Amino acid sequence: EQLASCHAIVIGVGAIGRQVAIQLAAVGISSMDLIDPDVVGVENLAPQAYWPEDIGVPKVVATLALCRRMNPMCHVETFAEPYRRSSAKMLKMLQGGTDVRPVVFACVDRIETRALIWESIRTKAALFVDGRMNAEVLRVLASEHPARDVYYPTTLFAPEQTHTGACTRSE
């Protein structure tokens, strides 16, 4: 019953976000928004679990297709564009008129985008989950009460402090 009334917003459908979206559809979530500006390239096939027929297709469209196969009843909106401060205004779930507060998954690869998402969505989200990956290390930060959270902002840092490394390990 809780999943039937839940709405998820998945921002970034690369290695982490694609898996999040697929699993949400598989467990029966009723609706979600997918946001990502990228198209599938050959480099996305293995590490992000896209298929050869997805090459050249927007990542949100390819992910939507698989989510629909997993759960045809799930309503999915796609936005093939970068997340911006104004993006919160385009997402119907964040505009009120419903008692459902969304679950937000920040699955992006830039720390400044995470900060932007946090600042623009945190007061409207029921749960905020941030997946961060570098090589074979995955770190997941979650905030059960994002509107009152004082810890999560301390995990954000200046872009120049970002560790540069591949999303996959190389020998």
Side-chain angles (χ1 to χ4, degrees), residues 28 73 106 118 128 168:
M73 302 304 291
W118 175 253
F128 185 86
T168 57

Side-chain angles (χ1 to χ4, degrees), residues 43-96:
E43 68 278 3
N44 304 129
L45 298 183
Q48 297 181 7
Y50 285 99
W51 298 333
E53 58 264 32
D54 295 329
I55 294 174
V57 174
K59 287 182 177 181
V60 292
V61 173
T63 302
L64 162 68
L66 189 52
C67 288
R68 284 212 174 124
R69 289 181 67 193
M70 300 294 284
N71 178 359
M73 302 304 291
C74 182
H75 176 75
V76 181
E77 293 280 337
T78 61
F79 302 90
E81 57 191 67
Y83 187 87
R84 298 181 177 92
R85 188 170 308 283
S86 61
S87 297
K89 294 177 184 159
M90 75 179 176
L91 300 171
K92 294 175 197 164
M93 186 54 59
L94 298 177
Q95 298 313 308

Side-chain angles (χ1 to χ4, degrees), residues 118 122 142-153:
W118 175 253
R122 75 185 199 103
S143 176
E144 185 177 12
H145 303 287
R148 301 188 314 251
D149 191 319
V150 295
Y151 173 72
Y152 181 81

